[in-house]
Amino acid sequence: MTPAIPRQPEPELMDLDEEAAAYAVADFAEVNDRFVRRLLELVGPVESARAVDLGTGPGDIPIRMVRARPSWHVTAVDGSPAMLDLARRAVEGAGLSASIELVLGDAKALSLPPGGFDVVFSNSILHHINDVDPLWAGVRRLAKPGALVLLRDLARPSSREIAREIVERNSGDESDLLKEEFYRSLLAAYTPDEVREQLDRAGLSALDVEMVSDRHLDVFGRLP
Ligand SMILES: C[S@@+](CC[C@H](N)C(=O)[O-])C[C@H]1O[C@@H](n2cnc3c(N)ncnc32)[C@H](O)[C@@H]1O
């Protein structure tokens, strides 16, 4: 396999107001819907569950999840006050404040109850994080025995040219700011092999890593 280009880290939190706002108005309906369908498929017919979403951003995924499973309770965490404000408005607007609790916090150091969650999920946080070991330790700590985990993120392509092609193919009419962020995010992402090493280090080898599109990898499975 062609070796991937070196990883180029990007800032962890999306805490500039304009950055958060640009992200929130972008049309992620289809990708978010695909994420929720994948989560529902993996979790099966579980009507009632406590879930945690790490790096919830504008909160669209928990809203979709609770609409699909109205008895679920989701704790939605983000470290960016600007993003969490947007999430709060979206959750209140959807009338789902009783089912979705918003928490400002660092996903690498959360003081949420250990073993408190049947489902741990996250979309697009991993590439933001340089010090990944505490994130995976947190996933392990928050999950109940037998919990389902689904973490989806970008995977770093093998060249900058391929990264540009991926951006052009998948960005539609998005703003130049978002296209540039997408490109930088691809370069900041981890490869499937790097993620497998992270999971082994964290004692999470029970989880699988799989490429699910030209740009996304899934980490998924049930913990022992
Ligand atoms: C690309 S956005 C994805 C948002 C959302 N999951 C979605 O799919 O629409 C990544 C989010 O993760 C948040 N984030 C990054 N590092 C974090 C950390 N260590 N703790 C909590 N949130 C973090 C960022 O502030 C941002 O809102």
Side-chain angles (χ1 to χ4, degrees):
M1 196 183 139
T2 324
I5 44 177
R7 177 170 184 266
Q8 290 188 7
E10 65 173 5
E12 191 164 300
L13 298 179
M14 299 177 75
D15 52 2
L16 301 174
D17 285 346
E18 61 275 24
E19 187 184 26
Y23 191 85
V25 297
D27 186 3
F28 292 121
E30 196 194 321
V31 277
N32 289 353
D33 190 54
R34 225 181 295 142
F35 180 90
V36 168
R37 276 190 277 123
R38 171 79 163 149
L39 187 54
L40 289 171
E41 177 191 297
L42 287 169
V43 85
V46 174
E47 286 308 324
S48 168
R50 292 194 79 82
V52 60
D53 178 16
L54 302 175
T56 198
D60 187 56
I61 290 180
I63 290 173
R64 286 171 190 271
M65 200 58 223
V66 168
R67 283 188 175 141
R69 291 287 158 87
S71 301
W72 280 37
H73 184 276
V74 181
T75 302
V77 177
D78 207 284
S80 155
M83 276 296 193
L84 218 64
D85 269 359
L86 293 169
R88 180 158 294 111
R89 271 183 251 160
V91 168
E92 285 172 5
L96 292 174
S97 304
S99 308
I100 301 175
E101 181 190 3
L102 296 165
V103 172
L104 180 65
D106 182 349
K108 306 190 302 305
L110 289 173
S111 52
L112 296 171
F117 297 93
D118 309 285
V119 180
V120 179
F121 68 87
S122 177
N123 185 49
S124 250
I125 195 178
L126 189 60
H127 69 272
H128 284 278
I129 305 224
N130 299 322
D131 187 11
V132 291
D133 291 355
L135 177 77
W136 290 119
V139 168
R140 194 171 164 190
R141 200 179 61 80
L142 295 173
K144 271 186 192 164
L148 180 89
V149 175
L150 173 61
L151 185 143
R152 175 169 290 177
D153 206 339
L154 297 167
R156 190 165 81 257
S158 54
S159 72
R160 288 185 172 72
E161 293 69 34
I162 294 177
R164 283 280 174 216
E165 280 167 29
I166 290 173
V167 171
E168 287 315 313
R169 194 160 54 237
N170 295 291
S171 295
D173 294 332
E174 298 302 355
S175 65
D176 287 346
L177 173 66
L178 264 181
K179 283 189 186 178
E180 213 36 48
E181 284 198 348
F182 183 13
Y183 176 71
R184 284 204 305 269
S185 298
L186 283 165
L187 301 190
Y190 295 94
T191 65
D193 284 348
E194 289 167 348
V195 176
R196 279 189 200 99
E197 283 168 19
Q198 296 168 12
L199 296 174
D200 288 347
R201 279 203 305 275
L204 289 170
S205 314
L207 300 179
D208 287 315
V209 182
E210 194 180 279
M211 284 300 293
V212 291
S213 78
D214 61 347
R215 58 201 187 282
H216 290 116
L217 59 78
D218 276 1
V219 177
F220 65 99
R222 285 200 181 270
L223 294 182

